[in-house]
Amino acid sequence: MEAMHELRISVGNPSLRDLTAQANRWKRGSLPRSTLSAMLTRSTVPQRWPIIEAYLRACGLDNDQAIKPWRRAWEQITHGKIAHSPALASREFLAPRQLPIGVSSFIGRNHELDQLDALADGGYPVMVIQGMPGVGKSALALHWAHRRTNEFSDGQIFINLGSHSSRGARLSATEALGQALRALNVPDERIPAGQDERAALFRTHLANRRVLIMLDDAVDPDQIRPLLPGTPTCTVLVTARAGMHDLVVHQDARALALDPLPPAEALDLLRAVVGPDEIAAEPEASKELVKLCGRLPLALRIVAARLHTSHHRQTIADAVIALQEVKGEELGEAIETIFDRSYAGLTPESRLAFRLLGLIKGSTFTSEAATALLAVELPVARRLLTHLADASLIQPTAPDRYCLNDLVRVYAHKLTLDEDDDRARTAALVRLATWYLSKCREISDLLTSESNRPRPILDWIVKERPNLIAIIIHTHELGQSRLAWDLADAGYDLFDLGRYASNSGEVRREAERYLALCRAIDHPQAHARAQEILAALSRPRCASRTEAS
C-alpha cells in the first residue's frame, strides 16, 4: 500500500476526484469514488485486482508491461507468499484518534465545507480557517475533520494552542511538538528538548503516513511552521482569528475567511436548538432574534439554550424585546446583551457562582476547585456547574472538568468587578489558592510514599501545572505573598515528580516560569528554592527525593 501511495505522489498527488475520473475512462464509468477512497485508507491490499489495475492506470501506467510487476506483487501478497517482515512490524503503531466530539447540532456551512473539500482534494496540505471570535471556526474545522477521518488511516492529531485565551496559557510550538510526538507513540525519553530536533523527529514519524493534524486557536505562523509535516500525504487544518498571511505566502497554505452565518442558516441553527414548532409559531420574531445575535453561532446557541431551558415560559418575542432595549450597540455589546439575558435567567446562587468562576485564570477547573472557590459543598458545586453548562455559559471538556469560552470569561470577570466587592473576590481566590496548596501537598505525600505512581495522579499533575502557575501569579498580584510562596514551595514536588508524567524538557520550561515567579516573591529563600526546582529537573529520573535534599 505504501508503494501505491508513493506512485500517487510521484504523479503530482492527484485528488480522489481526478483519480476516479481517470479510472473510469479506462473502466468506462463503473468505479465509484468511494471504492478508491476505501482502498487507499486501508492498511491491507485489496483482494480484487481490477480495482488496483484501475488505480494504476489512473496514475499513468497505461501499458501492460508497466502493470506486470504490480500484478506479480499483488498475486504473491494475496496468496500468502510475502510475509510481514520484522522491519514492517516495527513500524506499526497505535493510530491517534484525538479529535474532540463535534457540535451535536451543526447546521449549514455547506459552501465552506465544499471549499475545504476542494482544497484538500486539490492537494493543498495546509488549510487555515480565519474569523472573529464566536463565529464557529473550531466547530467547522471539527465537523469537516470528522467527515474525512476515513481518508487519514494513520490517525488524527488535535492540539489546542490556546493562543487567544485570557488566562495566558498559549502553547509554544515546542510544547505542541511534544504533544504531537507523544500522540505518535514516541516515548518521553526519546523526545528531544530542542524545537528543531522535535520538528525533525515529528516529520520523520509522519513520512509516508496519512495523518490529519488540527491546530486550534493559533496566533501567528511561527507557532505553526514547526508543526508542518514534510510529506504531502498529511493535511494540517488550522483555526485562527487572523495573522496567517505569511503561512499562505511561504507554506502554500490556503485560507478560508469565515463570516457570520447566512440568515437562513442562522435561523436553521436556532430552529435546531429551540425546536421547529417554536420557530414556526413566531417566524418574524425568530428572524429578528437572528439579526440581533449578529448571526454568530455562539450568541445564537446561548440565546437558544436560554429559551430551551428557562423555567419560566419565555417567548422568542420576549427575547427580542429584551435585546432591543439597547440601541445603537456594536456587535460586541450585542453579544454582551445576550449574555445578560442568559445571566438574568440564573438563580442568585448560580449568578454568584458564574461571576466568581470568571476569576479563574487557569485553563480548566474541576468541581473540587469550584467547591473551594465558591465555599460550598461538593454536591452543591456540581449542581451549580450543571446549571451553568445547561445555560451554555461553561463548557464540559472532560468528565468533571470545565472551561469558559474566552468571550464568556471576559463577561463573567466584568460582572464580578461590577457586582462583588474586593473582599469577596479576594476571599474566593484565597480559598481556591488554599485548596491548590492542600491538594499539591496531598499528592506530593502520596507520590513520595509509594513506589508506584498511579497514572490518574500523574495525569492530574499534567493538567493542573498550568493552573497552579496561574493561581500563584494571581495570588501574588493580590498581595498574598506568603500564600504565593507556600504554593511555589508545594510546586517543587509537582515539578520534580511531574517528570514521570511528561517530558522533562517541557516541565523545565514551566519550572523556569516558576523561577521568574519566585524571584517576584520577596522571600529570603525564594531564589534558592526556585533554583533547586531547576536543579531537581536536571537530575536523572531515577534519582530519589532523599538524594535531592
Side-chain angles (χ1 to χ4, degrees):
M1 293 306 298
E2 286 187 2
M4 295 175 70
H5 287 305
E6 291 170 359
L7 175 63
R8 181 182 179 186
I9 294 170
S10 71
V11 296
N13 198 26
S15 67
L16 279 174
R17 187 177 302 163
D18 291 339
L19 281 174
T20 305
Q22 289 291 341
N24 281 328
R25 290 191 183 98
W26 179 73
K27 286 184 67 67
R28 299 180 181 178
S30 60
L31 184 68
R33 177 181 172 185
S34 59
T35 300
L36 278 184
S37 175
M39 180 188 75
L40 291 171
T41 54
R42 293 192 187 116
S43 59
T44 57
V45 175
Q47 297 297 308
R48 295 175 56 199
W49 167 252
I51 296 175
I52 295 181
E53 185 175 7
Y55 173 85
L56 296 174
R57 294 187 181 275
C59 288
L61 301 185
D62 55 1
N63 62 76
D64 293 340
Q65 195 65 26
I67 294 290
K68 280 183 180 179
W70 292 86
R71 178 64 184 253
R72 284 197 300 270
W74 174 80
E75 289 175 347
Q76 289 177 323
I77 292 172
T78 54
H79 289 81
K81 295 179 181 179
I82 297 180
H84 289 291
S85 68
L88 288 176
S90 66
R91 296 179 62 183
E92 295 178 359
F93 75 113
L94 180 63
R97 309 291 182 191
Q98 294 187 334
L99 292 179
I101 189 170
V103 176
S104 59
S105 54
F106 186 89
I107 297 295
R109 298 296 193 194
N110 292 326
H111 176 64
E112 290 83 358
L113 289 168
D114 288 343
Q115 286 182 285
L116 291 171
D117 283 338
L119 291 173
D121 293 341
Y124 292 103
V126 183
M127 301 181 293
V128 181
I129 301 175
Q130 296 187 151
M132 66 181 297
V135 79
K137 300 182 293 294
S138 299
L140 172 63
L142 280 173
H143 188 74
W144 182 86
H146 278 293
R147 294 201 322 170
R148 304 282 294 237
T149 52
N150 288 339
E151 297 179 28
F152 300 97
S153 55
D154 291 319
Q156 307 91 42
I157 296 172
F158 176 87
I159 300 176
N160 182 359
L161 298 172
S163 298
H164 293 96
S165 168
S166 61
R167 52 194 180 267
R170 172 182 174 180
L171 204 66
S172 70
T174 304
E175 292 168 329
L177 282 165
Q179 288 190 16
L181 288 169
R182 280 187 286 275
L184 295 170
N185 306 305
V186 179
D188 283 347
E189 60 270 16
R190 288 186 54 206
I191 297 178
Q195 177 177 297
D196 291 343
E197 293 83 0
R198 287 189 177 194
L201 184 61
F202 180 58
R203 292 192 296 270
T204 298
H205 278 269
L206 289 180
N208 298 320
R209 296 197 186 279
R210 302 181 62 80
V211 177
L212 173 67
I213 302 108
M214 180 173 167
L215 305 176
D216 195 34
D217 196 18
V219 68
D220 59 48
D222 289 339
Q223 200 179 17
I224 300 299
R225 287 192 186 96
L227 290 154
L228 298 181
T231 174
T233 56
C234 294
T235 295
V236 178
L237 183 59
V238 180
T239 69
R241 295 187 182 180
M244 294 292 142
H245 177 70
D246 284 350
L247 209 62
V248 173
V249 172
H250 299 292
Q251 272 70 46
D252 200 28
R254 289 296 181 267
L256 172 66
L258 195 61
D259 295 321
L261 288 167
E265 291 184 6
L267 188 60
D268 287 341
L269 175 58
L270 193 63
R271 182 180 294 108
V273 183
V274 176
D277 293 339
E278 287 79 0
I279 302 300
E282 300 180 84
E284 295 306 315
S286 299
K287 293 177 183 178
E288 184 63 21
L289 184 60
V290 163
K291 180 180 177 182
L292 290 170
C293 288
R295 295 179 282 115
L296 286 176
L298 174 63
L300 286 165
R301 289 186 182 279
I302 291 174
V303 169
R306 166 65 182 160
L307 290 170
H308 189 67
T309 61
S310 175
H311 296 295
H312 306 288
R313 178 62 181 169
Q314 184 185 40
T315 66
I316 296 174
D318 293 334
V320 169
I321 292 171
L323 290 175
Q324 286 176 333
E325 291 177 354
V326 180
K327 303 293 184 181
E329 59 194 357
E330 296 294 331
L331 187 58
E333 294 172 332
I335 295 176
E336 184 171 310
T337 304
I338 293 165
F339 292 162
D340 284 340
R341 293 300 302 161
S342 190
Y343 175 73
L346 300 174
T347 65
E349 187 181 30
S350 295
R351 290 182 200 170
L352 175 60
F354 176 66
R355 295 196 305 270
L356 294 181
L357 287 171
L359 294 171
I360 297 179
K361 293 186 177 180
S363 56
T364 60
F365 56 90
T366 63
S367 57
E368 278 190 88
T371 295
L373 179 80
L374 306 176
V376 297
E377 297 296 326
L378 184 59
V380 176
R382 287 175 173 164
R383 173 172 54 80
L384 292 171
L385 294 177
T386 299
H387 289 171
L388 294 174
D390 289 343
S392 293
L393 290 173
I394 64 173
Q395 288 79 45
T397 61
D400 194 34
R401 192 166 287 274
Y402 301 85
C403 72
L404 275 77
N405 173 279
D406 288 335
L407 295 176
V408 178
R409 183 188 296 272
V410 170
Y411 174 73
H413 191 263
K414 181 177 181 295
L415 282 177
T416 193
L417 292 178
D418 291 342
E419 300 187 29
D420 303 312
D421 58 33
D422 289 344
R423 184 179 302 177
R425 293 195 301 270
T426 299
L429 285 168
V430 167
R431 289 194 299 268
L432 180 63
T434 303
W435 175 81
Y436 268 106
L437 178 60
S438 174
K439 192 73 173 179
C440 289
R441 288 173 172 170
E442 173 188 335
I443 287 178
S444 173
D445 291 341
L446 179 62
L447 290 181
T448 52
S449 64
E450 294 185 4
S451 57
N452 295 323
R453 297 173 171 84
R455 171 54 56 180
I457 293 180
L458 294 177
D459 289 342
W460 187 92
I461 290 175
V462 172
K463 291 176 181 177
E464 292 293 349
R465 264 200 318 261
N467 297 338
L468 182 60
I469 290 175
I471 194 65
I472 292 174
I473 294 172
H474 212 162
T475 305
H476 177 63
E477 289 173 346
L478 289 173
Q480 301 284 330
S481 47
R482 180 63 199 180
L483 182 54
W485 165 246
D486 289 340
L487 283 165
D489 184 50
Y492 171 86
D493 293 319
L494 240 64
F495 282 106
D496 187 26
L497 297 168
R499 292 180 296 151
Y500 298 92
S502 62
N503 181 264
S504 59
E506 292 183 8
V507 182
R508 168 173 281 277
R509 277 182 288 279
E510 289 185 347
E512 288 170 348
R513 298 178 199 169
Y514 249 115
L515 178 61
L517 288 175
C518 290
R519 283 173 177 161
I521 300 171
D522 188 15
H523 189 283
Q525 299 174 326
H527 294 174
R529 192 63 166 153
Q531 292 288 359
E532 190 177 350
I533 295 172
L534 291 172
L537 289 167
S538 299
R539 295 195 308 272
R541 291 183 182 225
C542 60
S544 68
R545 177 70 193 277
T546 303
E547 293 169 346
S549 55

